[in-house]
Amino acid sequence: MKPLQSYNSEEIEALELALKNEYNEYKSKNLKLDMSRGKPSTKQLDISIDMLHILENNKDYFDENGTDCRNYGLLDGIPEAKRFFAELLDISPEEIIIGGNSSLNMMYDTIARAMTHGVLGSEKPWFKYDKIKFLCPSPGYDRHFGICAHFNIEMITIDMLEDGPDMDKIEKLVSEDETIKGIWCVPKYSNPEGKTYSDEVVRRFANLKPKATDFRIFWDNAYAWHHLSDKHDEILNIFDECRKAGTENMVFEYASTSKVTFPGAGVALLAASVPNVSFIKKQLIVQTIGPDKLNQLRHVKYFKDANGLYEHMKKHGEILKPKFNCVLQTLKNELDGYEVAEWNSPRGGYFVSLNTMDGCAKRTLRLLKEAGVVMTSAGATFPYGVDKRDRNIRIAPTFPPLEELETAMKLFCICVKLASCEKILSNL
Amino acid sequence: MKPLQSYNSEEIEALELALKNEYNEYKSKNLKLDMSRGKPSTKQLDISIDMLHILENNKDYFDENGTDCRNYGLLDGIPEAKRFFAELLDISPEEIIIGGNSSLNMMYDTIARAMTHGVLGSEKPWFKYDKIKFLCPSPGYDRHFGICAHFNIEMITIDMLEDGPDMDKIEKLVSEDETIKGIWCVPKYSNPEGKTYSDEVVRRFANLKPKATDFRIFWDNAYAWHHLSDKHDEILNIFDECRKAGTENMVFEYASTSKVTFPGAGVALLAASVPNVSFIKKQLIVQTIGPDKLNQLRHVKYFKDANGLYEHMKKHGEILKPKFNCVLQTLKNELDGYEVAEWNSPRGGYFVSLNTMDGCAKRTLRLLKEAGVVMTSAGATFPYGVDKRDRNIRIAPTFPPLEELETAMKLFCICVKLASCEKILSNL
């Protein structure tokens, strides 16, 4: 196989014709497959099914302090749930606020409260500024960007490098502009590239010297325990590094069991310094009487401790590893040598990120959609939905069964090649 | 027994001394009882315990459309849950958004979103006004007032009359002032007075002609099904009346199963016109991926339909009726004739509201607290925590066992009489 760019026009046209025939064959199969989101598969959900029945074997619904978890109370969670997550994140239980079933909702709430009331250290609520800005390492998570767009927060795209976002740029920007109030990070197995921030990157984050007194790092540790195999990434504990730098108040960390137990019925949490936690709890008490404690109890009784969760995550890895292998193997088999795409091989997380030749992502995904397979929209992984180079595609292999995934990936590779041919021909 | 006001000073001093002796006897018992919130008792929680195990008998976790309730999806709830609540509230399923476990949180969210983005029909977000105002029928629910205070919304106290709030005043104010954006209502078995709005009041609400195009009635139907016996109040369906008046967009109705199943793990909802629901869902999709669907499924499988819930509520009534009787009987036995207090006899809800002589509520509750019984703070039932006449006390009889309640109420009556004696003596 030789690089597509080196083909002459006859060769390209011949390849395009052959690909079109292949494509039409797939199209006639009337596929219908939604790979747009990072959803666990049914098999993965079945792993945790015993958790739903864990309270039946234990007729008491009381937490370790005797609080009836069925009743009102405990704004920030039951003590054993705080301790459980504290162990998982290697911080102290006092640094944890347990929420409902969605860490996204907790991030949204954090920013909504900051807009109307500011965060600890704010001179004024964020809405009092004509314009505030967030840094957005990209490609990144579309729902992070959606929150910014909703609150009219200007998004500044930061390139993702091999070991994390472009720290030179981040350090410069935050030190100069006091309207930069935050940055979105998925530090481990990043969405969508599956990259894990290096020790140096984490240390540089902890040592940021923002001009804004109320700048916050939104550390969305969504895939903290989501390894594909025993060979997994490690990441420094940002709070440890912040303590050394005296910047503990600069970080809001989020995590959840959405992709550990049930996406629809997991437990989410916010981790932050004790002063941040105190500040937030004073606002939170106006907002709610407290999250679902029975579901916290289910989780703690089921996992018992961090090790219980780590063992559990291995089962997810066993289901996911073959799917990621299928994606990577198909990409390799079908695209290697053409030099029309690059992709990562993550050791965890939920995605494979692929870059086509510039200007080919939208076309690839339109071709794919017309043949019945939906992936995350092109551009979604960038602020404002605009990928200037129109090349990034987020592949979410987790939900479909392996056989369907294999079909979808073969079709996907045809679409990538077809879009590349069209592009090269149009440039001739 | 003759009215305390007609006692001469010797008589009052003698009574005061006798009461003090009685009071000190109670004090020496070292009581420790928290009657500050409207919390269901353990017995009430036990009624619903089978709901926690309802999914175990049915190994499928799918809603009626086949959506896996364990996974992501369904921003506004599963169809059968929407239908269930629609039947209960006599509206259509399209008018319902299911939330998490807290209707308070849904009310807070509604106002938080209105502050930053406005509601349907807003010319601008509410925070763009120098000052906006809410009408607060009082005595009312302290957490409603807490949300206003949090967002710096000016609260205007509206007197509660026998059949609901003072509609003359409300009609006048909303028609004149476009910065009045909302009103808090607990229309059935109001908190704390247990009053139910008359048909005329509901119709006048539906026919309000507010100057603000984005005025909203926050119809917190917290006690919709919470009768103490078969003799229960009825209330007009405000949406029916609004439809006649063409004002369907003016109402946000809230309800939950917090006091039906579990306060910590119930299901809450917002009901509103279809245009309101569409407007809100566009914002909600930024906020969360969706509430806990498994818990919705538990509720629907357990109750099946509105009748199932009505039958269930009878069991609550059977537990609560004797407690309310105890409160009312003790008040009658101990206070009748002295003319130092007035109270209501509600047919549902969670409270008995008592007015002391002017200037005696704080003192009564301090005496009570010093003897070990905590009730909702004096003033809490009014905006800014200020009861100008210092007379309203919210008695929450639901949580304590009957025997403890009886003791607490006898002590309470002593405190009321003691505070009254002190007041009269100080005025002599």
Side-chain angles (χ1 to χ4, degrees):
Chain A
M1 218 63 69
K2 62 179 185 177
L4 208 62
Q5 296 275 11
S6 68
Y7 280 38
N8 64 36
S9 62
E10 286 77 30
E11 286 172 321
I12 296 232
E13 278 167 10
L15 177 61
E16 192 188 22
L17 192 65
L19 288 166
K20 266 194 185 150
N21 286 335
E22 281 192 80
Y23 176 75
N24 285 330
E25 255 178 65
Y26 276 95
K27 207 170 170 180
S28 67
K29 290 183 186 173
N30 292 317
L31 299 174
K32 200 165 174 261
L33 189 53
D34 187 346
M35 291 173 64
S36 63
R37 307 299 316 176
K39 271 172 81 164
S41 64
T42 308
K43 256 194 190 171
Q44 286 178 270
L45 304 178
D46 288 342
I47 298 176
S48 310
I49 212 66
D50 289 345
M51 191 190 71
L52 285 184
H53 312 139
I54 197 103
L55 294 183
E56 86 192 72
N57 301 317
N58 191 331
K59 293 289 177 198
D60 70 348
Y61 304 97
F62 298 86
D63 77 1
E64 62 187 23
N65 290 342
T67 303
D68 191 329
C69 291
R70 299 170 300 179
N71 219 325
Y72 289 118
L74 292 190
L75 182 66
D76 55 351
I78 63 174
E80 52 264 62
K82 287 200 259 182
R83 214 169 47 238
F84 171 65
F85 285 113
E87 188 191 354
L88 282 164
L89 296 175
D90 191 19
I91 53 176
S92 91
E94 294 73 37
E95 291 170 315
I96 290 202
I97 294 176
I98 312 266
N101 71 331
S102 163
S103 59
L104 179 75
N105 204 338
M106 297 187 90
M107 293 176 225
Y108 171 97
D109 277 354
T110 308
I111 291 182
R113 287 190 304 258
M115 292 306 288
T116 53
H117 291 79
V119 298
L120 178 69
S122 289
E123 287 163 30
K124 54 185 180 185
W126 290 359
F127 77 73
K128 293 267 187 188
Y129 292 84
D130 286 337
K131 175 65 80 182
I132 63 161
K133 301 166 192 158
F134 261 55
L135 304 183
C136 300
S138 302
Y141 180 34
D142 55 346
R143 288 187 184 270
H144 289 163
F145 306 151
I147 293 174
C148 282
H150 178 71
F151 287 110
N152 204 21
I153 296 171
E154 187 178 317
M155 291 179 265
I156 300 173
T157 302
I158 302 290
D159 287 336
M160 277 295 286
L161 309 178
E162 273 321 295
D163 61 346
D166 181 345
M167 293 309 297
D168 291 344
K169 187 147 182 216
I170 291 169
E171 284 165 351
K172 186 170 183 304
L173 286 170
V174 301
S175 69
E176 287 172 353
D177 185 347
E178 75 123 358
T179 69
I180 296 177
K181 296 298 187 193
I183 183 167
W184 291 114
C185 296
V186 182
K188 195 165 178 182
Y189 304 132
S190 69
N191 179 349
E193 296 180 290
K195 290 175 179 170
T196 296
Y197 294 8
S198 69
D199 292 357
E200 193 205 334
V201 164
V202 175
R203 287 197 185 101
R204 286 175 77 177
F205 264 111
N207 284 281
L208 283 179
K209 305 271 177 286
K211 192 161 186 202
T213 57
D214 54 355
F215 173 83
R216 287 294 183 279
I217 300 166
F218 287 75
W219 200 251
D220 182 2
N221 212 345
Y223 308 105
W225 319 292
H226 303 60
H227 318 301
L228 289 174
S229 74
D230 284 345
K231 282 188 208 144
H232 55 74
D233 294 354
E234 295 290 349
I235 185 166
L236 282 186
N237 180 344
I238 190 161
F239 285 109
D240 287 347
E241 299 308 313
C242 283
R243 263 183 290 271
K244 291 177 203 163
T247 56
E248 305 98 296
N249 292 344
M250 199 165 57
V251 180
F252 291 144
E253 179 172 14
Y254 301 87
S256 81
T257 67
S258 289
K259 294 184 181 84
V260 176
T261 57
F262 305 119
V267 175
L269 69 107
L270 160 61
S273 69
V274 170
N276 271 326
V277 163
S278 308
F279 184 90
I280 291 169
K281 275 164 66 176
K282 273 183 212 134
Q283 301 182 323
L284 210 55
I285 203 165
V286 179
Q287 186 171 347
T288 183
I289 298 173
D292 183 336
K293 294 183 294 297
L294 286 178
N295 210 32
Q296 295 172 37
L297 209 53
R298 278 187 201 101
H299 278 75
V300 180
K301 282 186 189 286
Y302 183 64
F303 290 118
K304 293 187 178 66
D305 56 22
N307 258 328
L309 183 139
Y310 298 145
E311 287 303 311
H312 185 84
M313 291 311 291
K314 287 184 187 166
K315 297 180 198 162
H316 283 289
E318 283 161 18
I319 294 172
L320 292 179
K321 183 71 177 158
K323 294 189 179 183
F324 277 75
N325 285 348
C326 164
V327 168
L328 296 168
Q329 195 59 49
T330 311
L331 291 174
K332 191 175 154 64
N333 292 347
E334 306 295 326
L335 298 180
D336 238 17
Y338 287 107
E339 296 185 10
V340 292
E342 291 179 329
W343 57 90
N344 66 325
S345 300
R347 301 207 289 182
Y350 260 61
F351 305 104
V352 172
S353 174
L354 177 139
N355 285 329
T356 63
M357 290 163 52
D358 286 10
C360 290
K362 271 188 198 158
R363 177 61 181 153
T364 298
L365 293 176
R366 192 160 58 243
L367 284 165
L368 194 63
K369 192 174 183 180
E370 282 166 9
V373 178
V374 179
M375 286 194 184
T376 313
S377 312
T381 54
F382 286 81
Y384 307 105
V386 178
D387 174 5
K388 280 184 192 157
R389 298 178 65 177
D390 182 26
R391 63 171 189 164
N392 188 248
I393 292 175
R394 184 177 85 164
I395 302 169
T398 57
F399 189 71
L402 198 51
E403 318 77 63
E404 288 183 40
L405 181 64
E406 202 172 343
T407 308
M409 285 311 300
K410 281 185 179 159
L411 171 61
F412 173 79
C413 290
I414 292 168
C415 296
V416 170
K417 286 185 281 188
L418 202 45
S420 307
C421 287
E422 290 174 4
K423 188 74 189 174
I424 291 169
L425 280 169
S426 76
N427 287 343
L428 283 180
Chain B
M1 218 63 70
K2 62 179 185 177
L4 208 62
Q5 297 275 10
S6 68
Y7 281 37
N8 65 34
S9 61
E10 286 77 29
E11 287 173 321
I12 296 231
E13 278 167 9
L15 177 61
E16 192 188 23
L17 192 65
L19 288 166
K20 266 193 185 152
N21 286 334
E22 281 191 79
Y23 176 75
N24 285 330
E25 257 179 64
Y26 275 95
K27 208 170 170 179
S28 67
K29 290 184 186 175
N30 292 319
L31 299 173
K32 198 164 176 263
L33 188 54
D34 188 347
M35 291 173 65
S36 64
R37 307 298 317 174
K39 272 172 82 165
S41 64
T42 308
K43 257 193 189 172
Q44 287 178 269
L45 304 179
D46 288 343
I47 297 176
S48 311
I49 212 66
D50 289 345
M51 192 190 72
L52 284 184
H53 311 139
I54 197 103
L55 293 183
E56 86 192 71
N57 301 317
N58 191 333
K59 292 288 176 199
D60 71 347
Y61 305 96
F62 298 87
D63 78 1
E64 62 186 25
N65 289 341
T67 302
D68 191 329
C69 290
R70 299 169 301 180
N71 219 325
Y72 289 119
L74 292 190
L75 181 66
D76 55 351
I78 62 174
E80 52 265 61
K82 287 201 258 182
R83 214 168 48 240
F84 171 64
F85 285 113
E87 188 191 355
L88 282 164
L89 297 174
D90 192 19
I91 53 175
S92 91
E94 293 74 36
E95 291 169 316
I96 290 201
I97 294 176
I98 311 267
N101 71 331
S102 162
S103 59
L104 180 74
N105 204 339
M106 296 188 89
M107 293 176 225
Y108 170 96
D109 277 353
T110 307
I111 291 181
R113 288 190 304 259
M115 292 306 287
T116 53
H117 291 79
V119 297
L120 178 69
S122 289
E123 287 163 28
K124 55 185 180 186
W126 289 0
F127 77 73
K128 293 267 186 188
Y129 292 84
D130 287 336
K131 175 65 81 182
I132 62 161
K133 301 166 193 160
F134 261 55
L135 304 183
C136 300
S138 302
Y141 180 34
D142 56 346
R143 287 187 183 270
H144 289 163
F145 306 151
I147 294 174
C148 281
H150 178 71
F151 287 109
N152 203 21
I153 296 171
E154 187 178 319
M155 292 178 266
I156 299 173
T157 302
I158 302 290
D159 288 336
M160 277 294 287
L161 309 179
E162 273 321 295
D163 62 345
D166 181 345
M167 293 309 297
D168 291 344
K169 186 145 182 220
I170 292 169
E171 284 164 352
K172 185 170 183 305
L173 286 170
V174 302
S175 70
E176 287 171 355
D177 185 347
E178 75 123 356
T179 70
I180 296 177
K181 296 299 187 191
I183 183 167
W184 290 114
C185 296
V186 182
K188 195 166 180 183
Y189 305 131
S190 69
N191 178 347
E193 296 179 290
K195 290 173 179 171
T196 296
Y197 295 7
S198 69
D199 293 357
E200 192 204 336
V201 164
V202 175
R203 287 198 186 101
R204 286 175 77 177
F205 265 112
N207 284 281
L208 283 178
K209 306 272 177 285
K211 192 161 186 204
T213 56
D214 54 355
F215 173 83
R216 286 294 183 279
I217 299 166
F218 286 76
W219 200 252
D220 182 2
N221 211 345
Y223 308 105
W225 320 290
H226 303 60
H227 318 301
L228 290 173
S229 74
D230 284 345
K231 282 187 209 147
H232 56 74
D233 294 354
E234 295 290 349
I235 186 167
L236 282 184
N237 179 345
I238 190 163
F239 284 109
D240 287 348
E241 299 308 313
C242 283
R243 262 183 289 270
K244 291 178 204 162
T247 57
E248 305 99 296
N249 291 345
M250 198 166 57
V251 179
F252 291 143
E253 179 172 13
Y254 302 87
S256 81
T257 66
S258 288
K259 295 183 181 87
V260 175
T261 57
F262 304 120
V267 174
L269 70 107
L270 161 61
S273 69
V274 169
N276 271 326
V277 163
S278 307
F279 185 90
I280 291 168
K281 275 163 68 175
K282 274 184 210 132
Q283 300 182 323
L284 210 54
I285 203 164
V286 179
Q287 185 171 348
T288 184
I289 298 173
D292 184 337
K293 294 182 293 297
L294 286 178
N295 211 32
Q296 295 171 38
L297 210 54
R298 278 187 201 102
H299 278 74
V300 180
K301 282 185 189 289
Y302 183 64
F303 289 119
K304 294 186 178 68
D305 55 22
N307 258 328
L309 183 138
Y310 298 145
E311 288 303 312
H312 185 83
M313 291 311 290
K314 286 184 188 167
K315 297 180 198 162
H316 283 288
E318 282 161 19
I319 294 172
L320 291 179
K321 183 71 177 160
K323 294 190 179 183
F324 277 76
N325 284 348
C326 164
V327 168
L328 296 169
Q329 195 58 49
T330 311
L331 291 173
K332 190 176 155 63
N333 292 348
E334 305 296 326
L335 298 180
D336 237 17
Y338 287 107
E339 297 186 9
V340 292
E342 291 180 330
W343 57 90
N344 65 325
S345 300
R347 301 207 287 182
Y350 260 61
F351 305 104
V352 172
S353 175
L354 177 139
N355 285 328
T356 63
M357 290 164 51
D358 284 11
C360 289
K362 272 188 199 159
R363 177 60 181 154
T364 299
L365 293 176
R366 192 161 55 242
L367 284 165
L368 193 63
K369 192 175 184 179
E370 281 165 10
V373 178
V374 179
M375 287 194 183
T376 312
S377 312
T381 52
F382 286 82
Y384 306 105
V386 177
D387 174 5
K388 280 183 190 156
R389 298 178 65 179
D390 181 26
R391 63 171 189 164
N392 187 249
I393 292 175
R394 185 178 84 164
I395 302 169
T398 57
F399 189 71
L402 199 51
E403 319 76 64
E404 288 183 40
L405 181 64
E406 201 172 345
T407 308
M409 284 311 300
K410 280 186 180 156
L411 171 62
F412 173 78
C413 291
I414 292 169
C415 296
V416 170
K417 285 185 281 188
L418 203 44
S420 306
C421 287
E422 290 174 5
K423 187 76 190 169
I424 291 169
L425 281 168
S426 76
N427 286 343
L428 281 181

